[in-house]
Amino acid sequence: MGQSVLPSDYAQWMIAARRQLRFYLRTWRFIGLLIFVLIIGVAGTALSIAYHDSGTSAANNFAGLTTGLSTLGIIICAFMGGDAIAMDFGSGTGYYLLVLPVRRRVLLLGRYAAAFLASFALILVLYAFGLFSTVWFYGIGRVPWFALGSSIGLAALFALAVISTAFLFSAFFRSPAVSMVVTILVLFLGFEILDGALSVTSVEPWFSLLYAGGALSLPFQPLPHKTVITGMGARMLTLTTWNPHLWEGAAIMIVYFVVGLVLSLVLYDYKESKG
Amino acid sequence: MSDTSSIEVQGLTKAYFGGVAPALRDATFRYEGAGAIGYLGPNGAGKTTTLKVLTGLLRPTHGRALLNGIDVTRSRKRALADVGSVIESPEPYPSQTVAEAIEMVGEFRGAPRGELGAEIARLSESLDLPPLDARCGALSKGQRQRVVLAASLVGDPRIVILDEPTTGLDPKERILIRNLLNQLKKDHLILMSSHLMQEVTEICDQVIFINQGQILLRDTVENVANRFRSRAVDVEFATPILVDKIRALGPAFTSATVVGERRFRLSFDGSIDARASLLRGLVTVGPVIGYQSASLALEDAYLALVAGGANGAPA
């Protein structure tokens, strides 16, 4: 056996990302999410064909398809990253990996890259369905490529932000299963409830990741920043719905991405393998 | 980094819950070169805690853990560069094949890529690994234990730290690992915790006894065996013997217990002279076909030390 030379942090990051991505792509959760995404994509495309309004533009078509993308993106990314840190402290994986001559942050960043690539691949499948139906109705020459590229770029940023947040949540649990369930519930239901509750208070939910996700459809179709609806229901409620400015959505995503990732790295570095 | 492998802990203390539950108290030892060190103590004694601090899984409350002279807490990556370890029950990713799980560790350690395949094949043969294309998630506990042991050895690290490496293995697997460790210790430094005194006696050159977080005794296996010589022997005759005939031998032993019509356990003062004198007397009583210590010296040492705490150690 020749002499081993310890690889650089970058080389070990590449190894971690490659190995972890292979692991993710083989899991039932990825296969399940892929099936889920394909069903949503096929159903969405079928509905858009069935109820196609010839008066709408290609950009409108894309805008409609990306409206619910932030919610789907949260589900996908929370599933992929919801147990990222807990898995090393609640199962034997940590005893296999954390005793190796690799910096913990390098391992976690490799896992982060893999979770992002797996999640983003699933999000791109949804965009592919949107592109397919747009080309079907309007032809390839009418595809709003710049808006599509901008929206995909924002979707990538959104995925990074959600995965950072999911990683951060997973640092507080020992059981990977509990961690994943809680992360999904908090990110999916928590933000939905928060945004819903704030709509009756007229407070702009500038701190909500789901609100920031609304920016994904803005490159296709600008929406009013604030819409007030009065006289709702028997109690004559006034509801305020908010859409972020594009820059605002991107800024919120960047904050979640950076803060979540930095805190995850610190917690992962300091967490001990007890018990 | 020095050329000689070394494992060292200096005043190592690990306390949980703000210091009210010390798992390890002021442990200090240093070993270098090649050989095998057995780390013995009851459950909760602090063995695994020490090994976890040494492998960077826990941070010490006080003191230092050094591998090849490098502080594990301060420079984890460099300190663990030449260390293979199996702590608690490691689990590779369940979807990885056996080959992938070992290969990944080799890649992280920087083992030459062109030689990894051959090394995995060699480890597979010496540890009788399951098929290299089998998924780790489908392995039995014993198979998985052998796979993680193989992974700890890939890249040929000079220091090997093992936490009860044969727990849960069947006798055949234990023999396999015992033989491997006996080969390995010739040019590697091995620190292994164990509950199995037989295993430690057969593999280790040195032993450390720990209880309630404190190191009670450190010495060579031979010295410990001499200090804690067994004070009872089991004797077996080819034909049934009346116990009165043995009792008539006089003061060579302090008591005789009938185990079977041909087998007896005799207590004596533990000295070599008394043991030899006892045997001389027994062969006059009948045809002796078995004569051995009633327990292993390490077992006696373990029981004495654990029962007596630090005071159980002989002067």
Side-chain angles (χ1 to χ4, degrees):
Chain A
M1 184 78 196
Q3 187 67 37
S4 297
V5 179
L6 209 53
S8 66
D9 285 349
Y10 174 72
Q12 288 185 327
W13 173 73
M14 291 290 285
I15 295 166
R18 183 163 44 84
R19 294 286 177 178
Q20 186 74 39
L21 182 61
R22 202 177 291 179
F23 163 69
Y24 276 140
L25 296 183
R26 286 172 179 172
T27 55
W28 281 111
R29 86 177 91 158
F30 180 81
I31 295 164
L33 283 170
L34 182 60
I35 292 168
F36 173 70
V37 161
L38 288 172
I39 290 169
I40 297 280
V42 169
T45 306
L47 284 173
S48 70
I49 290 170
Y51 297 101
H52 178 62
D53 176 359
S54 55
T56 60
S57 67
N60 289 144
N61 189 56
F62 261 120
L65 289 169
T66 51
T67 302
L69 198 57
S70 53
T71 304
L72 282 173
I74 282 179
I75 293 172
I76 290 168
C77 297
F79 258 109
M80 296 313 294
D83 64 347
I85 293 179
M87 71 189 293
D88 281 348
F89 298 93
S91 74
T93 316
Y95 290 117
Y96 196 71
L97 291 174
L98 300 180
V99 296
L100 298 175
V102 189
R103 289 183 216 286
R104 284 192 182 186
R105 54 179 171 270
V106 170
L107 274 178
L108 195 69
L109 285 172
R111 188 171 291 168
Y112 185 86
F116 168 72
L117 289 173
S119 306
F120 193 53
L122 293 170
I123 291 170
L124 283 180
V125 170
L126 292 168
Y127 273 100
F129 275 104
L131 183 62
F132 171 78
S133 67
T134 304
V135 171
W136 177 273
F137 290 123
Y138 306 98
I140 198 154
R142 302 274 299 277
V143 174
W145 292 109
F146 180 75
L148 179 60
S150 305
S151 179
I152 288 175
L154 280 169
L157 191 55
F158 184 69
L160 289 171
V162 180
I163 292 168
S164 287
T165 313
F167 270 47
L168 179 57
F169 276 124
S170 77
F172 295 103
F173 299 93
R174 282 191 69 82
S175 158
V178 172
S179 170
M180 189 179 292
V181 170
V182 172
T183 304
I184 292 165
L185 286 178
V186 170
L187 287 179
F188 176 53
L189 289 179
F191 281 122
E192 289 280 4
I193 292 167
L194 181 72
D195 285 12
L198 288 176
S199 68
V200 293
T201 64
S202 79
V203 174
E204 183 186 353
W206 54 267
F207 37 79
S208 163
L209 193 51
L210 188 62
Y211 165 71
L216 301 188
S217 61
L218 293 181
F220 300 112
Q221 187 180 49
L223 293 168
H225 180 55
K226 182 180 180 182
T227 309
V228 179
I229 307 161
T230 53
M232 288 290 290
R235 300 174 74 178
M236 303 298 280
L237 286 173
T238 299
L239 295 181
T240 311
T241 60
W242 297 88
N243 290 297
H245 300 293
L246 203 142
W247 62 267
E248 185 189 19
I252 294 169
M253 291 175 203
I254 289 169
V255 170
Y256 270 91
F257 162 48
V258 174
V259 173
L261 185 57
V262 168
L263 288 178
S264 301
L265 289 170
V266 170
L267 289 170
Y268 190 64
D269 226 19
Y270 277 86
K271 229 168 144 65
E272 295 188 313
S273 300
K274 296 174 189 167
Chain B
M1 191 190 299
S2 65
D3 289 340
T4 312
S5 302
S6 65
I7 299 175
E8 183 175 6
V9 299
Q10 299 173 347
L12 202 61
T13 299
K14 178 65 189 177
Y16 297 107
F17 310 116
V20 292
L24 195 60
R25 289 184 281 180
D26 199 26
T28 298
F29 60 77
R30 176 185 163 83
Y31 293 94
E32 64 175 33
I37 303 121
Y39 200 29
L40 306 174
N43 286 329
K47 302 186 300 291
T48 302
T49 300
T50 312
L51 303 189
K52 281 184 173 179
V53 174
L54 272 167
T55 49
L57 293 167
L58 292 176
R59 279 186 310 283
T61 308
H62 299 295
R64 299 202 303 163
L66 301 109
L67 294 167
N68 290 328
I70 302 165
D71 191 317
V72 179
T73 311
R74 284 166 188 255
S75 309
R76 241 184 104 258
K77 182 177 175 180
R78 278 200 316 130
L80 295 174
D82 207 14
V83 180
S85 56
V86 178
I87 310 293
E88 299 262 14
S89 303
E91 287 171 27
Y93 294 131
S95 63
Q96 278 183 323
T97 65
V98 171
E100 286 170 346
I102 302 172
E103 197 177 73
M104 178 179 77
V105 174
E107 285 181 7
F108 276 129
R109 288 220 179 95
R113 268 185 155 261
E115 297 171 28
L116 256 178
E119 196 188 2
I120 292 169
R122 186 178 57 73
L123 286 166
S124 171
E125 196 182 324
S126 61
L127 278 165
D128 190 22
L129 295 182
L132 293 176
D133 59 354
R135 299 268 178 221
C136 290
L139 301 179
S140 69
K141 186 180 178 185
Q143 288 175 322
R144 195 172 61 221
Q145 185 84 343
R146 280 179 282 142
V147 169
V148 297
L149 185 60
S152 76
L153 300 177
V154 74
D156 197 25
R158 300 279 101 187
I159 295 176
V160 180
I161 298 175
L162 305 171
D163 185 18
E164 299 181 11
T166 59
T167 302
L169 301 185
D170 64 34
K172 187 183 159 210
E173 291 169 328
R174 280 186 184 168
I175 292 167
L176 196 74
I177 288 177
R178 186 186 67 203
N179 292 343
L180 178 79
L181 294 179
N182 271 321
Q183 276 297 313
L184 212 60
K185 73 173 186 178
K186 291 174 186 166
D187 51 4
H188 293 71
L189 184 56
I190 302 171
L191 174 63
M192 57 177 274
S193 71
S194 181
H195 281 302
L196 305 171
M197 302 300 144
Q198 181 77 35
E199 181 178 271
V200 173
T201 307
E202 287 168 353
I203 297 170
C204 298
D205 316 297
Q206 312 247 359
V207 278
I208 305 171
F209 286 90
I210 184 172
N211 193 23
Q212 294 177 339
Q214 281 188 301
I215 290 180
L216 304 178
L217 176 68
R218 290 200 298 126
D219 212 330
T220 62
V221 171
E222 195 182 342
N223 283 346
V224 172
N226 284 333
R227 285 192 208 180
F228 291 88
R229 227 173 267 124
S230 182
R231 290 167 191 271
V233 286
D234 287 333
V235 60
E236 187 177 1
F237 293 93
T239 54
I241 297 288
L242 290 172
V243 70
D244 290 344
K245 281 186 159 183
I246 296 172
R247 288 189 177 130
L249 288 174
F253 60 93
T254 52
S255 71
T257 310
V258 180
V259 180
E261 60 176 6
R262 297 184 295 109
R263 295 168 61 214
F264 305 89
R265 174 162 293 181
L266 310 175
S267 299
F268 65 112
D269 65 11
S271 69
I272 295 283
D273 289 343
R275 189 174 169 133
S277 147
L278 189 56
L279 180 59
R280 277 196 299 275
L282 288 168
V283 294
T284 65
V285 171
V288 175
I289 57 169
Y291 186 72
Q292 61 191 14
S293 298
S295 59
L296 288 169
L298 282 187
E299 251 165 18
D300 291 328
Y302 178 93
L303 294 172
L305 288 165
V306 169
N311 297 329

